[in-house]
Amino acid sequence: QVQLVESGGDSVQPGGSLRLSCTVSGSGNSAVSKAWFRQAPGQEREGVATISDGDSLNYADFVKGRFTISQDRAKNTVYLQMNALKPEDSAMYYCAAVKGNLWTWERLRPSKYDYWGQGTQVTVSS
């Protein structure tokens, strides 16, 4: 059973930066695609960034140029570096994973992921 634990959420001012971390365990030797999603109160969960087992990256248009997803296989950890944060980035951020690879067009869809972390809160406010 794949387990995910997020950390790094915090309250920051607009223009600030945060780095979220997600430790992945239980995947064994399986190829695992990972992603970050977010959900604000009253809104649907939306894809932010994805990284395949082979380091293929995908980003939502609203974070391109500001957020960077990466992974450290030795630490079984995936990161989301968030720069130039805006108030509209405020949300609960979730790490998600699925065994194997996804087609590019489906990588940002929450329904394609089988494993989820508990979430970490990001608040951007002055």
Side-chain angles (χ1 to χ4, degrees):
Q1 181 76 359
V2 178
Q3 294 183 323
L4 308 167
V5 179
E6 305 100 330
S7 61
D10 205 344
S11 295
V12 296
Q13 293 188 342
S17 297
L18 281 176
R19 188 177 79 159
L20 305 183
S21 300
C22 172
T23 302
V24 183
S25 61
S27 61
N29 293 321
S30 300
V32 178
S33 297
K34 299 105 174 173
W36 287 97
F37 291 82
R38 70 185 188 185
Q39 189 169 19
Q43 310 234 345
E44 293 186 354
R45 191 168 297 189
E46 58 183 0
V48 175
T50 76
I51 186 166
S52 71
D53 193 67
D55 290 329
S56 178
L57 309 180
N58 287 87
Y59 293 97
D61 288 343
F62 54 79
V63 301
K64 284 181 179 177
R66 299 190 299 125
F67 292 9
T68 303
I69 189 171
S70 62
Q71 61 184 338
D72 183 332
R73 290 183 180 77
K75 296 182 178 179
N76 292 321
T77 300
V78 59
Y79 303 99
L80 184 68
Q81 178 66 44
M82 305 187 294
N83 299 326
L85 283 162
K86 305 175 183 180
E88 52 264 44
D89 293 320
S90 298
M92 186 71 78
Y93 281 72
Y94 297 91
C95 182
V98 60
K99 291 187 178 180
N101 294 307
L102 299 174
W103 294 106
T104 302
W105 61 271
E106 60 185 357
R107 290 176 184 170
L108 289 171
R109 296 189 175 190
S111 61
K112 297 299 180 182
Y113 292 81
D114 297 320
Y115 307 101
W116 292 84
Q118 81 288 351
T120 187
Q121 179 68 40
V122 172
T123 302
V124 185
S125 174
S126 55

